[in-house]
């Protein structure tokens, strides 16, 4: 089941065409990923990094931008887990207006599990495999654009 | 009386010294200013800009940085109105850890009232003078650092 | 033939893991794209947008991150044109240390040709098809990671 | 004598009013400060931080914004040293169009000298006092706005 949060797109995050600048949308996806750790898993990402020495850096990314986002839009950001591997987790993230309907953009984000002390790939700890399980979505629930 | 909101300082907003990069703290103050419009005045800033054609660009800024902010800190951002002029409003903003105590940083932000259609200075409309009044703070309530 | 430029990765563009935050790397790719307009095509991108009312917004993106980038690295950013369509252009961009060797990251960026006055897709003007031609690279020259 | 460099203001660094967002201008000043280390002092700032364990974090800031900056502007950023203290250095920075004339904005930036290993204030090493000396400007050469 996917998880979602509301996002305030900001005055200073606009490009010269008057719409959202896509690197900022990827920043928004990362912010929502951090909020998922805090608000859904109740284990803030800084605690994971600093105390557990575990991180999920992005190694591969695929994004599609379907419709522009403007200042004043407060898109809903959705997060689902598409695949849990041995040492990797693939997330599907997307934005909608008003929380439903066709996505404005979506991203498939492949992360590696990294031991932050050694800065080396490691296996996904069992505890997180279990905690991620409720957020798994099927490929057909990762919404396609218009 | 000052208004306050909680802020999540973000993973990607850190500098190479491992602490908050000060231009990002100024971005955070602007985000809190936008939240004040949405959550305290119940008139989102994009609506003010787009529908009312009114804006409050910063013309002068004085900031002091007293203590570093790290990833995982969720500072409280405080906003008070220091002075309401004919065509200008001065805000006092500061951050604290846990909502109280000595500020981590503070900023005195002088804004001009601008007619966004003409991009020219204009008088502060009476309605906003009234709506800002409850947020006025005295100079001695704008907290000094350590 | 691909084009390249030197990039100063910045003090404030680091994440809490002490390396480049990937949305900032995408910002860097966009900066290099803008520099290509200024320095290779000698027609600054703002002039294209403002005077010619033509823009190249990104509609699809695929990135791979192979190795971390740290503060002090001055990666070379490379740009090649992978495909010129009727109303779209696909760019291949990548970063290397010292201008050669295995890429640190790479991005396949699909842009649409947009009439900025109408904010609608349009055909790629013949003049730009010709000006882009020297920068076309073959798929096998878009370097794979380690 | 002040030092200066050209700056490309970027497509994605615009706000919803269509002009430069002031926290980004402060980022630009920091980028120019880093360029001064690389291009004027020939000792890149990352080398100072990493090898010499010395840093110049900002402790106080005063900025004035006189005229808007738009996408396509390539302002010149000027840097002068206003005051060299025992454990602090005050910089004066400003931007002009075309390298001369009235400033578009200016900032007085007070930095502390910090031992990055201990994250504690320290004295300014004599070598830097000498290297900074040629860039000292008089208060009256720090240009006032319109």
């Amino acid at each position: 089941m996917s998880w979602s949060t509301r996002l305030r797109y900001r005055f200073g995050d606009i490009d010269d065409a008057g719409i959202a600048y896509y690197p900022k949308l990827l920043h928004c996806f990362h912010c929502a990923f951090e909020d998922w750790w805090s608000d859904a898993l109740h284990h803030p990402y800084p605690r994971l990094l600093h105390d557990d020495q575990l991180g999920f850096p992005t190694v591969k990314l695929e994004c599609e931008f379907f419709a522009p986002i403007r200042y004043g839009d407060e898109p809903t950001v959705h997060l689902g887990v598409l695949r849990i591997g041995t040492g990797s987790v693939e997330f599907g993230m997307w934005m909608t207006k008003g929380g439903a309907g066709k996505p404005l953009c979506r991203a498939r984000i492949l992360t590696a599990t990294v031991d932050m002390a050694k800065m080396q790939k490691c296996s996904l700890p069992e505890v997180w495999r279990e905690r991620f399980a409720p957020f798994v979505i099927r490929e057909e629930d990762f919404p396609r654009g218009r």
Side-chain angles (χ1 to χ4, degrees), chain A residues 111-126:
Chain A
T111 63
T113 335
V114 166
D115 177 326
M116 298 303 285
K118 303 182 188 160
M119 278 300 242
Q120 279 177 2
K121 291 198 179 187
C122 65
S123 303
L124 177 66
E126 198 53 37

Side-chain angles (χ1 to χ4, degrees), chain A residues 1-122:
Chain A
M1 196 196 60
S2 68
W3 171 87
S4 68
T5 187
R6 228 19 207 298
L7 167 80
R8 276 189 180 150
Y9 201 79
R10 297 298 185 175
F11 177 69
D13 291 344
I14 290 299
D15 65 25
D16 191 61
I19 58 176
Y21 179 56
Y22 78 82
K24 281 289 171 184
L25 292 175
L26 293 166
H27 171 64
C28 291
F29 279 137
H30 202 282
C31 291
F33 170 80
E34 297 174 50
D35 288 345
W36 176 66
W37 280 93
S38 292
D39 300 337
L41 301 175
H42 305 293
H43 191 89
Y45 196 59
R47 216 166 108 195
L48 187 79
L49 287 171
H50 298 168
D51 298 351
D52 308 336
Q53 303 272 5
L54 188 69
F56 289 84
T58 295
V59 293
K60 198 174 169 187
L61 182 68
E62 281 177 48
C63 308
E64 291 157 284
F65 305 97
F66 306 116
I69 291 173
R70 292 175 200 284
Y71 181 52
D73 289 348
E74 299 200 357
T76 299
V77 189
H78 306 259
L79 177 155
V81 173
L82 286 170
R83 200 181 52 79
I84 302 182
T86 313
S88 66
V89 183
E90 191 178 60
F91 295 92
M93 299 189 77
W94 64 100
M95 292 187 195
T96 56
K97 227 174 209 159
K102 291 276 188 188
L104 303 162
C105 57
R106 73 172 196 172
R108 186 184 294 275
I109 299 171
L110 180 65
T111 63
T113 335
V114 166
D115 177 326
M116 298 303 285
K118 303 182 188 160
M119 278 300 242
Q120 279 177 2
K121 291 198 179 187
C122 65

